[in-house]
Amino acid sequence: MSKGSFPRFPRSPRAGRSGRPAGFRTPVVVAVAALVPAGVAGWLLWDAEADGGRKAPVAAASSASPGASPASRAPSRQPSPEGKEPSAPGSSAPEGARSPSPAAADDGPLPDGPLKGKVVVVDPGHNIRNSEHTAEIDRSVDIGTGRKECDTTGTSTDSGYAEASFSLDVAHRLRTILRAQGAKVVLTHDGERPYGPCVDERAAIGNQAHADAAVSVHADGSAVGNRGFHVILPASVKGGHADTAPIVGPSKELGVRIAGHFVRVTHSAASNYIGGGTGLDTRGDLGGLNLSTVPKVFIECGNMRDPQDAALLTDGAWREKAAQGIADGITDFLDG
């Protein structure tokens, strides 16, 4: 298959993106060969019947080198997109009732394009100045299923390139690409804040914008030798202010499309340490997903602590490809 003929994934019948039409039981299995460098195989398989009418990844194979097999999940990820394990209940008031701070948005005239009328929220992970406000970001907030830190500092490469700088750079590139297609793009922050926003506020910004899709941009901090990207999908969660039931299906569809296009554009392999080679991971401990009422995923674009991945993440040309791959996945999800 040529580079320019990456197939559009068939869309399952949807009812407001939160359910399927009554009686829909037609089994569909789709196999898509993702374009990757020679010697690296990447397959995404979906079984619409098994996933309630949506594309569910049921098998995949992708590795950093021919013949390599995915390792088991590394327990030493540092830090996770939102920090450490849930904190014990703290002194802060319930965060779900707070109104989020104004987000950075493109309010100028938008060109006509396939995303005209769509709203996309882009959430640059962390904040470069979080380390100057440790008391504020250590404050615990309600994530529905427990409590967690407001935010964390994120990770960095060995040379000191911060995840917060990476995520904001990719977010800017992503905004430019999506805006050129007519989408209104809202950033949860644009580097203008002294710290944060907190994870619950990041979710609230997407909710209040009535986003058609939301993506949180990150890079991981795992062990050397752990390589590749993965997209984090929301688990089925209900508790406190969290109820992900309406968004689990559409978020999975969004994540699958982003993963497929990310491989195609960047030629990156799916993570060899998380997701069993699928490039997908499902989590119920992230407030940014738990508290979202709109389709939302996280993407870990690579591992900043691995020298080979770090060489990509610190390269501006590769970051442009990363933004393009994410944008193409969002467009594929929304345009149709």
Side-chain angles (χ1 to χ4, degrees), residues 15 79 83 92 110 116 137 141 148 180 250 258 269 317 322 333 335:
S92 62
L110 294 167
K116 187 75 171 180
I137 68 169
V141 298
K148 259 192 166 178
I258 288 176
F333 173 72
D335 182 22

Side-chain angles (χ1 to χ4, degrees), residues 23-178:
F24 176 76
R25 298 291 294 172
T26 304
V28 179
V29 178
V30 182
V32 178
L35 182 65
V36 293
V40 181
W43 293 87
L44 296 177
L45 304 180
W46 298 276
D47 184 342
E49 175 69 14
D51 192 41
R54 295 188 176 88
K55 280 72 64 189
V58 295
S62 181
S63 60
S65 61
S69 60
S72 60
R73 178 184 299 244
S76 59
R77 297 178 68 210
Q78 57 170 27
S80 69
E82 293 181 4
K84 302 182 280 291
E85 293 301 313
S87 305
S91 58
S92 62
E95 304 299 329
R98 285 196 301 129
S99 297
S101 300
D106 280 327
D107 294 323
L110 294 167
D112 290 329
L115 299 184
K116 187 75 171 180
K118 302 294 186 181
V119 178
V120 179
V121 168
V122 179
D123 177 26
H126 311 287
N127 183 319
I128 195 63
R129 292 189 292 276
N130 274 357
S131 60
E132 302 168 7
H133 299 273
T134 54
E136 290 87 349
I137 68 169
D138 284 347
R139 177 176 57 87
S140 71
V141 298
D142 186 359
I143 65 166
T145 56
R147 301 189 71 86
K148 259 192 166 178
E149 293 88 344
C150 157
D151 202 4
T152 67
T153 58
T155 188
S156 68
T157 65
D158 288 344
S159 64
Y161 182 53
E163 179 187 1
S165 297
F166 168 85
S167 63
L168 188 58
D169 179 84
V170 173
H172 286 161
R173 296 169 189 268
L174 183 54
R175 176 175 62 185
T176 298
I177 296 167
L178 292 171

Side-chain angles (χ1 to χ4, degrees), residues 79 126 155 163 166-167 217-221 299-304 313:
H126 311 287
T155 188
E163 179 187 1
F166 168 85
S167 63
V217 180
H218 289 265
D220 208 0
I299 181 167
E300 298 278 5
C301 297
N303 176 20
M304 296 197 112
L313 297 166

Side-chain angles (χ1 to χ4, degrees), residues 213-296:
V215 177
S216 190
V217 180
H218 289 265
D220 208 0
S222 187
V224 173
N226 290 343
R227 296 198 59 200
F229 79 93
H230 63 278
V231 178
I232 303 175
L233 314 174
S236 181
V237 165
K238 185 167 186 178
H241 297 289
D243 182 3
T244 61
I247 69 161
V248 165
S251 295
K252 180 179 287 185
E253 184 174 342
L254 172 63
V256 165
R257 291 172 187 273
I258 288 176
H261 286 281
F262 196 83
V263 170
R264 178 181 63 85
V265 177
T266 67
H267 290 189
S268 293
S271 169
N272 64 5
Y273 63 103
I274 285 178
T278 65
L280 303 172
D281 185 33
T282 300
R283 292 177 61 176
D285 64 327
L286 303 178
L289 296 180
N290 288 358
L291 300 175
S292 182
T293 59
V294 301
K296 184 174 182 180

